[in-house]
Amino acid sequence: MSSNEAATPLIPAPDMKDAHVYGMQAYEKLVAEAEADHSGYWSRLAREFLSWKTPFTRGLDDSRAPFFKWFEDGTLNVSWNCLDRQVERGLGDKTAIIFEADDGQVTRVSYRELLARTGRMANALKARGVKKGDRVVIYMSMSIEGVVAMQACARIGATHSVVFGGFSAQSLRDRIQDAGAVMVVTADEQVRGGKQLPLKAIVDDAIALGGCESVKNVVVYRRTGGPIGWVPSRDRWLHEETQAQPETCEPEWVGAEHPLFVLYTSGSTGKPKGVQHSSGGYLLHAALTTKWTFDLKPADVFWCTADIGWVTGHTYIAYGPLALGATEVVFEGVPTYPDAGRFWKMIQDHKVSVFYTAPTAIRSLIKAAEGNAAVHPKRYDLSSLRILGSVGEPINPAAWEWFHHHVGGGLCPIVDTFWQTETGGHMITPLPGATPLVPGSCTLPFPGIAAAIVDETGADVPNGQGGILVVKKPWPSMIRTIWGDPERFKASYYPPELKGFYLAGDGAIRDAKTGYFTITGRIDDVLNVSGHRMGTMEIESALVSCTALVAEAAVVGRPDDTTGEAICAFVVLKRARPTGDEAKKIANELRNWVAKEIGPIAKPKDIRFGDNLPKTRSGKIMRRLLRSVAKGEPITQDTSTLENPAILAQLSERN
Ligand code: PRX
């Protein structure tokens, strides 16, 4: 891309003299400070951004690399930093959360109230025996209670593991079991797009699958009052648990390395991995990036549209904005209900000034606006906006331009933030008052993040040539380990050939002239569908677990205009290859099977049946050929090692 992109004019940063980082000189000064003394730079910020119970005496400890530690002898409490501290600073009456329910009802919660609710919930957890170091699974929809549950765990030093409300009973069971959770916090039902969808019933199913003996209590938030099953010895209503509890709860002061949370994400092989994050280093980067990347000021109204089930909802809903004492919007529903103007109406109603969303949402709202002028952003007053953000997948230049012009009125910088569950916060991103923008590029590393592009041996590649994205130095909010599997952590992120650099799993290229980064996509078998990360192996395992039907399956991604990537599955059945209506019927059955095994987000868009899969003579499935077949492009690769070349024509047929 370098030659084309180099010709793309840079869009200068607006002249925001009051920006936290104003101008490229300020950016470069910070980069230089970090280069001169990496540990000292981060330590300075950790003292400025966080309140410590016991100050730390040392920044980075790399003596057990790659198990890096930051600020280890310091103690703090994450919830105290997010809540009590704001009340102490005189922000008790400031609105912390503007919650908008699916049906449009709005609830505002001040910092003082949020602290009180967190205190009551923390006391309720303690009363049920949850203690420091215990794991609590949170399986909730977007709600104030969801954020309170996370904060309450942090308050008592319990490690939370939020599971996205769209995951199936099986996926939930696997996560509860792997984490060894003592409690599950859930809701009776969730409401999305006018529909009531079960949550508690799925928890019941998950536990009934077995292996969840560690769970002593299931605490249920009454969201809808819909009918649910009840196990009296195990299930508790949240309102009953909290009503008699005092509002104050002395925080548990934990070491900076204490695990704040474990969040499961997909890898290229096997089962999802529990990414373990720290307390001090994580919160530092959450607060710092929220402040600098979004140039967040006290008067801003910040809205991150992610779900708390994903890392974006952790860092930019549950922790970052609260650690800064900001006002944020939390939204229960979906962007297309009651119509595709919902986001724009909410920005107008709540005077949102910083809006952070995903390219998939933008692309689907572009389509909707093109088909129906009534939901076009120009029909709404979006003049409160000053900064826009994008996350989760590459934003294609056309979507970028539309977002810039039609949502941002051509005035708001767009911060295209590259990061991952493992990185805890932004890694490569523009800073709005400093970095000139190029649509489709996440531009430059956040100050202090040593991002680079190397070849398979860890050697630098020159700008203009693609390579492997790495981070050369540890940073405070990095993954600490994979829960219960330190060997997998090392093997996944610190392969020996990369000389101690963190392997992100993405390919990238730096522009020959500007040095700007563009992410070219995953280099492993991880797919990104609507900004949701999924392993091809996970979906393959789900398909072959349908033992009555499926003999073999291979899953690849193909580009999709709306969802970024779409899942394409090639399946060999245990019976003759179906065609026509029968193929459609079986494909549907298999889609539902995958939804039941993993969750609806993992349903393959395209399922093709073959008598076999393209394999080498040694039996290895040739995925690169399948990727070409899925895209519908002519096969230009060498097929001479293929045992059964005729199979490609068969697999090219669509159902
Ligand atoms: O491939 C990259 C893509 O999303 C992956 C991380 O997914 P996850 O851990 O679910 O976290 C998503 C939210 C931070 C990355 O390895 N990705 C994320 N942001 C971008 C991106 N690709 C391109 N541009 C981005 N801004």
Side-chain angles (χ1 to χ4, degrees):
M1 68 112 222
S2 61
S3 51
N4 289 343
E5 289 287 332
T8 310
L10 298 178
I11 300 167
D15 192 26
M16 298 172 10
K17 290 203 172 50
D18 64 342
H20 293 304
V21 181
Y22 173 58
M24 280 310 273
Q25 269 183 340
Y27 167 81
E28 275 150 19
K29 200 167 155 221
L30 290 162
V31 171
E33 181 191 344
E35 266 168 19
D37 178 4
H38 191 66
S39 176
Y41 164 81
W42 287 112
S43 299
R44 168 176 78 77
L45 293 167
R47 289 187 192 101
E48 269 174 34
F49 275 77
L50 303 181
S51 299
W52 297 84
K53 179 73 173 170
T54 324
F56 59 89
T57 59
R58 185 172 178 194
L60 170 65
D61 174 0
D62 56 4
S63 58
R64 286 186 58 241
F67 298 94
F68 299 103
K69 291 181 174 149
W70 285 91
F71 324 122
E72 197 192 2
D73 62 351
T75 65
L76 80 171
N77 181 276
V78 167
S79 144
W80 194 91
N81 271 272
C82 293
L83 304 174
D84 309 53
R85 184 163 67 146
Q86 314 311 352
V87 176
E88 282 194 5
R89 283 173 177 167
L91 299 179
D93 294 326
K94 182 172 179 180
T95 300
I97 294 178
I98 303 169
F99 175 71
E100 183 162 318
D102 189 65
D103 67 1
Q105 203 179 323
V106 175
T107 313
R108 285 188 170 71
V109 184
S110 68
Y111 271 93
R112 198 186 317 285
E113 285 165 50
L114 197 60
L115 172 62
R117 285 167 76 156
T118 299
R120 273 203 298 268
M121 176 127 190
N123 285 322
L125 297 184
K126 282 212 282 197
R128 290 287 168 199
V130 181
K131 27 178 224 315
K132 179 180 171 190
D134 284 345
R135 273 82 57 212
V136 173
V137 162
I138 299 172
Y139 186 64
M140 294 271 257
S141 57
M142 291 297 289
S143 53
I144 297 169
E145 285 68 19
V147 176
V148 166
M150 294 164 83
Q151 287 284 342
C153 287
R155 192 155 195 96
I156 64 171
T159 298
H160 61 66
S161 186
V162 185
V163 178
F164 174 59
F167 276 119
S168 68
Q170 179 79 45
S171 296
L172 176 61
R173 194 280 303 261
D174 294 348
R175 286 156 174 77
I176 293 173
Q177 191 176 26
D178 190 77
V182 299
M183 180 181 272
V184 179
V185 180
T186 189
D188 50 0
E189 294 180 313
Q190 56 179 328
V191 189
R192 286 168 67 80
K195 293 196 200 87
Q196 291 181 207
L197 305 163
L199 281 174
K200 167 69 163 64
I202 296 172
V203 174
D204 292 345
D205 290 350
I207 295 178
L209 286 169
C212 301
E213 290 69 30
S214 56
V215 175
K216 301 288 173 282
N217 291 107
V218 174
V219 174
V220 187
Y221 160 53
R222 183 142 74 196
R223 168 64 186 89
T224 64
I228 52 170
W230 203 256
V231 179
S233 59
R234 186 197 72 189
D235 298 347
R236 324 274 166 210
W237 283 113
L238 177 66
H239 57 273
E240 288 175 5
E241 295 288 288
T242 51
Q243 69 193 5
Q245 293 293 344
E247 289 178 355
T248 51
C249 173
E250 176 62 17
E252 180 80 38
W253 305 105
V254 299
E257 284 296 315
H258 183 72
L260 176 65
F261 67 87
V262 172
L263 183 60
Y264 287 84
T265 191
S266 297
S268 45
T269 52
K271 56 177 188 154
K273 25 191 190 188
V275 173
Q276 179 181 320
H277 277 287
S278 69
S279 296
Y282 170 79
L283 190 66
L284 166 61
H285 206 51
L288 176 67
T289 50
T290 306
K291 185 160 176 172
W292 289 1
T293 306
F294 300 115
D295 190 43
L296 210 70
K297 306 275 173 42
D300 275 313
V301 176
F302 177 72
W303 183 16
C304 164
T305 66
D307 190 287
I308 52 167
W310 309 114
V311 75
T312 309
H314 282 58
T315 307
Y316 300 107
I317 295 176
Y319 294 114
L322 298 178
L324 296 176
T327 296
E328 63 173 333
V329 173
V330 172
F331 177 42
E332 180 181 46
V334 296
T336 47
Y337 179 83
D339 60 40
R342 183 70 183 262
F343 275 3
W344 322 133
K345 179 163 188 320
M346 284 181 61
I347 292 170
Q348 169 180 285
D349 289 353
H350 302 303
K351 303 203 167 24
V352 171
S353 54
V354 182
F355 179 61
Y356 190 33
T357 194
T360 283
I362 298 166
R363 285 191 296 264
S364 72
L365 296 177
I366 294 175
K367 257 196 197 162
E370 281 169 355
N372 174 10
V375 297
H376 196 282
K378 69 181 174 215
R379 300 290 287 265
Y380 300 82
D381 176 5
L382 306 182
S383 58
S384 55
L385 287 172
R386 61 182 202 92
I387 288 163
L388 302 174
S390 167
V391 59
E393 52 182 317
I395 176 163
N396 49 307
W400 195 103
E401 295 289 353
W402 190 89
F403 197 31
H404 189 59
H405 291 291
H406 296 293
V407 181
L411 297 169
C412 306
I414 297 179
V415 288
D416 174 359
T417 61
F418 167 82
W419 61 296
Q420 310 174 295
T421 305
E422 294 87 341
T423 70
H426 302 153
M427 300 300 278
I428 308 179
T429 177
L431 302 183
T435 322
L437 306 173
V438 171
S441 166
C442 51
T443 74
L444 295 170
F446 192 87
I449 300 297
I453 301 181
V454 299
D455 65 16
E456 292 76 14
T457 66
D460 284 324
V461 300
N463 288 358
Q465 275 179 33
I468 299 170
L469 180 65
V470 296
V471 188
K472 290 189 167 180
K473 294 179 190 169
W475 67 103
S477 66
M478 65 189 298
I479 174 176
R480 293 305 194 263
T481 187
I482 292 175
W483 182 259
D485 200 348
E487 286 310 314
R488 191 173 174 202
F489 163 76
K490 273 207 276 193
S492 307
Y493 303 108
Y494 285 94
E497 63 279 12
L498 288 186
K499 303 178 175 154
F501 302 158
Y502 166 85
L503 172 67
D506 283 287
I509 184 165
R510 296 187 75 160
D511 183 82
K513 272 197 208 145
T514 58
Y516 275 19
F517 287 73
T518 292
I519 306 297
T520 50
R522 299 287 306 193
I523 52 171
D524 53 12
D525 292 319
V526 169
L527 305 181
N528 193 326
V529 181
S530 301
H532 298 153
R533 183 167 153 182
M534 261 163 299
T536 52
M537 290 271 288
E538 244 178 300
I539 305 167
E540 286 168 13
S541 317
L543 284 166
V544 296
S545 74
C546 183
T547 49
L549 278 175
V550 178
E552 246 187 319
V555 168
V556 298
R558 67 165 161 77
D560 183 280
D561 282 350
T562 307
T563 57
E565 254 186 311
I567 302 169
C568 188
F570 296 90
V571 175
V572 182
L573 294 179
K574 284 188 171 164
R575 30 149 297 175
R577 175 174 175 262
T579 51
D581 284 349
E582 203 194 356
K584 284 204 178 79
K585 188 174 145 266
I586 298 180
N588 236 357
E589 264 174 56
L590 290 178
R591 265 186 213 110
N592 292 336
W593 176 274
V594 173
K596 185 178 78 58
E597 288 292 299
I598 304 176
I601 53 172
K603 277 186 181 181
K605 181 157 186 184
D606 205 355
I607 297 189
R608 316 261 183 104
F609 297 103
D611 293 323
N612 206 333
L613 296 173
K615 290 181 190 151
T616 60
R617 291 194 180 88
S618 59
K620 203 167 162 277
I621 296 172
M622 295 184 74
R623 284 163 195 284
R624 59 187 173 85
L625 291 180
L626 287 177
R627 276 192 277 272
S628 296
V629 172
K631 274 195 213 164
E633 64 186 20
I635 307 288
T636 51
Q637 297 103 323
D638 178 16
T639 53
S640 58
T641 54
L642 207 58
E643 196 190 272
N644 47 355
I647 206 71
L648 294 175
Q650 196 182 59
L651 291 170
S652 301
E653 288 171 28
R654 304 185 76 136
N655 299 309

